[in-house]
Amino acid sequence: MSAESIRTGLGFDLHRLVEGRPCILGGLELPYSAGPLGHSDGDAVLHAVADAILGAAGLDDLGTLFPDTDAAWQGADSARLLRESLARVHSKGWVVGNVDIVIATEGPRIAPHRTAMRARIGDLLQVAPDAINVKGKSLEGLGALAGGEGVAVQVVCLLHRRDA
Ligand code: MG
């Protein structure tokens, strides 16, 4: 596989967790009393995944493609944003190789939902669940996100040429 046939991308997202909002992360609704605040459903995991694949394909970012000033995306299901992002990546001739995700929060527990989240994101990205990895990280009580105030997500991905 030549260097021209693979690309890497990096995604990052951060959302405040607010009492009473549904806790939608990684395309799942997690059982938790607070959820990510956002113009869409606030799914920081899918937003960071979308930014990683868009970045790898040289397609700007989620905020540029789907502006939060656009009422069409008010309360939007982030799975839809990710599917639309993937369609643009595919149209450039790229497909997803693998995705590795770190979810840093002291809000909802991630570990019990890792398997389901991998399956869900794999389904959205049209790859096998073992091409998706999900890691939950505590914040060790440090910083503004400690105590469940928010969720931060980092994602790296690899794309390869459809015909490679
Ligand atoms: Mg976001």
Side-chain angles (χ1 to χ4, degrees):
M1 191 177 280
S2 73
E4 294 77 31
S5 64
I6 57 170
R7 300 280 283 271
T8 67
L10 173 66
F12 175 76
D13 200 22
L14 187 63
H15 281 251
R16 186 180 295 276
L17 291 170
V18 173
E19 288 292 325
R21 290 264 302 180
C23 192
I24 297 174
L25 287 171
L28 305 176
E29 184 166 348
L30 306 186
Y32 192 64
S33 60
L37 187 63
H39 182 71
S40 65
D41 61 16
D43 190 332
V45 176
L46 296 193
H47 295 174
V49 169
D51 266 350
I53 65 169
L54 290 169
L59 287 167
D60 294 316
D61 63 17
L62 201 58
T64 305
L65 295 177
F66 311 109
D68 64 9
T69 50
D70 185 342
W73 304 108
Q74 177 80 46
D77 177 355
S78 294
R80 205 176 125 217
L81 300 177
L82 182 55
R83 277 196 209 96
E84 298 229 6
S85 300
L86 182 70
R88 289 168 195 241
V89 167
H90 283 172
S91 74
K92 288 278 212 171
W94 298 104
V95 292
V96 174
N98 76 296
V99 171
D100 195 11
I101 302 166
V102 176
I103 305 170
T105 187
E106 290 180 352
R109 291 198 58 226
I110 301 303
H113 309 289
R114 284 168 67 170
T115 302
M117 210 177 279
R118 291 174 70 169
R120 171 75 169 138
I121 297 170
D123 187 48
L124 289 169
L125 294 179
Q126 301 173 23
V127 296
D130 72 356
I132 309 293
N133 196 65
V134 174
K135 291 170 278 200
K137 292 292 286 183
S138 161
L139 293 145
E140 305 294 339
L142 295 169
L145 296 179
E149 290 290 311
V151 55
V153 183
Q154 280 188 310
V155 174
V156 292
C157 76
L158 188 80
L159 302 183
H160 59 83
R161 279 282 169 207
R162 186 187 305 279
D163 50 10

